[in-house]
Amino acid sequence: MPSTQVHRTQTLVLGSGLAGLYFALQVADRRSVTILTKHQRESSNTRWAQGGISAVFDPEDSVEAHVHDTLEVGAGLCREDFVRYAVELGPKLVSGLARDFGVQFDRVGNEDGAPFVLGREGGHSQRRVVHHRDMTGAEIERALVEAVERHPNITILEHHDAIDLLSFRKVDGTTGCFGCYALDIVHDRVVAFVAPVTVLATGGAGKVYRYTSNPHVATGDGIAMAYRLGAEVGNLEFMQFHPTILFHPDAKSFLISEALRGEGGILRTDEGADLMKDRHPMGSLAPRDVVAREIDAELKRSGKPCVFLDMTHLDPDFIVDRFPAIHARCMTLGIDMRRTPIPVVPAAHYTCGGVVVDHQGRTSVPGLMAIGEVAMSGMHGACRLASNSLLEAVVLAYGAAQTCDEFGREPPPQV
Ligand code: SIN
């Protein structure tokens, strides 16, 4: 039997969404990085994020207001210290994505340094969603993948599916992590990746559900591997359901961004009534869990298969300019949202719990870090405020990059 191939690196990253790529770029000037991704490099949940990334830029807005909205939506189960830390770091890190990596966020005017155009989504009391039209995640992914490809110290291996983490038991009985086994899908062989620090950036578990906004890769395997190794996990019962996934037999997992409601879209019943009227003070822009539950109750009451998101009262040119990707997708299915309300249903969207981490992405297992949706930092509590996911990803990746050297720089010489 051929022996298992061993690949050594100073830093092993599993996953190629915003968290994994941003972390790699922060550390690659001082340590070699190998990124494993189970499909193509840009296949991640980040790529599908439409709405944007939330941060306090509007002079009318404040850190206090963003913290308050996050805690409200989290239903008392967020960790306030982490929320405050993330919200305070937000503007610096979001500006850095544009300045350092060339992410093209929409700006007021064409000048490079012009203020960002700020969108609004459910549960936000202010406009604070920085975006690239309705393709924010795809734009962030594009810019970071290009930066990673340019960096000589980063190797990115596609079609490598992590199977299990490698562990050692220290003399005091505690466990540490020093890499993983991965299936090299193209060559159909198992490779051992050995590193002093392994960073889980594997995303969430939306694909556990039949109806989800998530891509195929969101299978929750990072959480499972960490759990098998003995890492603490938490809040896994809190799966967020997004209220508006396109309802059409030929449309699979297509999100209709909450930003549409942020620009004035109204949820309607089959009879055309305003679904959220008198149900919540924020109406159609109430927090996601509230809106998704109201839609579910309405579907059970009416026996209809979907409700509708009505944009027909808004300026048609604005709709096409602000939401070009959603408009184009709907048109391929014969739905012109300038004239016809969009049929929508709730579906699984975001894993609020995950591998328990501190502010810097350290898990309870030495040598194992977790950043992005796979992690449970305390940012989201029982439900996540819209567009706080990309914020949490970049904040955890930034913190993990500052601290990962404490696990050493060299992989163990023998396996
Ligand atoms: C959306 O655009 O509605 C999704 C944004 C998010 O999940 O935060």
Side-chain angles (χ1 to χ4, degrees), residues 114-193:
F116 296 125
V117 178
L118 301 172
R120 196 170 165 207
E121 294 180 44
H124 286 277
S125 59
Q126 297 287 337
R127 284 192 170 263
R128 61 171 76 98
V129 181
V130 180
H131 56 273
H132 173 84
R133 300 167 97 191
D134 58 353
M135 297 166 280
T136 311
E139 170 57 13
I140 292 174
E141 193 72 17
R142 175 204 64 75
L144 296 190
V145 164
E146 283 177 20
V148 159
E149 285 171 344
R150 281 194 301 270
H151 204 295
N153 223 11
I154 303 177
T155 305
I156 182 158
L157 298 175
E158 298 178 322
H159 306 292
H160 277 70
D161 200 345
I163 302 165
D164 232 339
L165 297 167
L166 296 169
S167 65
F168 61 89
R169 193 170 288 278
K170 297 199 283 187
V171 276
D172 63 4
T174 58
T175 304
C177 178
F178 67 96
C180 78
Y181 283 121
L183 176 64
D184 170 351
I185 295 165
V186 172
H187 300 101
D188 196 21
R189 65 183 174 198
V190 171
V191 181
F193 289 86

Side-chain angles (χ1 to χ4, degrees), residues 50-52 121 240 242 255-259 288 349 384-389:
Q50 295 176 349
E121 294 180 44
Q240 175 174 83
H242 194 291
L255 182 69
I256 303 295
S257 176
E258 207 165 46
R288 265 179 206 171
H349 183 60
R384 170 173 68 78
L385 183 68
S387 290
N388 266 359
S389 50

Side-chain angles (χ1 to χ4, degrees), residues 174-240:
T174 58
T175 304
C177 178
F178 67 96
C180 78
Y181 283 121
L183 176 64
D184 170 351
I185 295 165
V186 172
H187 300 101
D188 196 21
R189 65 183 174 198
V190 171
V191 181
F193 289 86
V194 177
V197 59
T198 302
V199 181
L200 293 173
T202 46
K207 269 288 165 184
V208 168
Y209 292 79
R210 183 166 181 193
Y211 298 107
T212 174
S213 62
N214 290 192
H216 291 304
V217 289
T219 53
D221 41 4
I223 300 170
M225 287 188 290
Y227 178 72
R228 287 198 293 272
L229 196 66
E232 193 184 339
V233 297
N235 281 7
L236 291 173
E237 65 275 37
F238 297 126
M239 174 59 71
Q240 175 174 83

